[in-house]
Amino acid sequence: MDKKRIIELLDQLSPILAGKEESIGKELTEKLQSALLVAKEEVASKEGVALANSLSGFVQMISKASLPGANLRFTDQERPVWEEFKALTEQARADGQRGFQLFH
């Protein structure tokens, strides 16, 4: 997993999420920002499957806030940052699962 790129994407997501407070509310914005900070800390401290699983939790939280009926929406300019982050996380998790299966 390209930790440097993950951190760059998280750094880009931070102001995007902060700018959503009006549409998603202060409480959810704070929750997502807190989860983002935890994700950044975990990128620095975890490796492999543990990191992929941790980042997957962050992806699930953002995805849930983006479901129909929820208010989180990404603009056309913001969406590529989110989509790249999500794709890197999903790829890392899939790679980890494949590696795990090879050893069992």
Side-chain angles (χ1 to χ4, degrees):
M1 178 179 292
D2 184 351
K3 285 185 168 193
K4 183 178 182 222
R5 184 63 186 146
I6 293 291
I7 292 289
E8 288 171 358
L9 291 168
L10 287 169
D11 286 343
Q12 292 175 41
L13 278 171
S14 184
I16 290 170
L17 293 175
K20 302 295 181 188
E21 185 173 326
E22 190 174 305
S23 61
I24 65 172
K26 184 176 183 169
E27 185 178 331
L28 182 55
T29 300
E30 289 174 354
K31 211 181 230 185
L32 294 176
Q33 288 285 52
S34 178
L36 186 143
L37 290 175
V38 169
K40 281 181 76 171
E41 290 172 8
E42 291 181 348
V43 169
S45 66
K46 292 185 177 181
E47 297 290 334
V49 175
L51 176 57
N53 287 339
S54 176
L55 293 176
S56 179
F58 178 67
V59 167
Q60 289 174 355
M61 181 180 265
I62 298 287
S63 295
K64 184 177 177 185
S66 302
L67 289 172
N71 295 326
L72 179 60
R73 298 286 176 265
F74 293 105
T75 66
D76 290 343
Q77 292 81 22
E78 298 165 344
R79 192 169 293 110
V81 173
W82 167 241
E83 292 297 329
E84 182 180 352
F85 179 81
K86 189 168 65 167
L88 284 172
T89 302
E90 288 170 355
Q91 181 62 48
R93 188 160 185 217
D95 290 348
Q97 294 294 331
R98 243 189 325 278
F100 183 75
Q101 290 171 356
L102 290 175
F103 294 107
H104 275 76

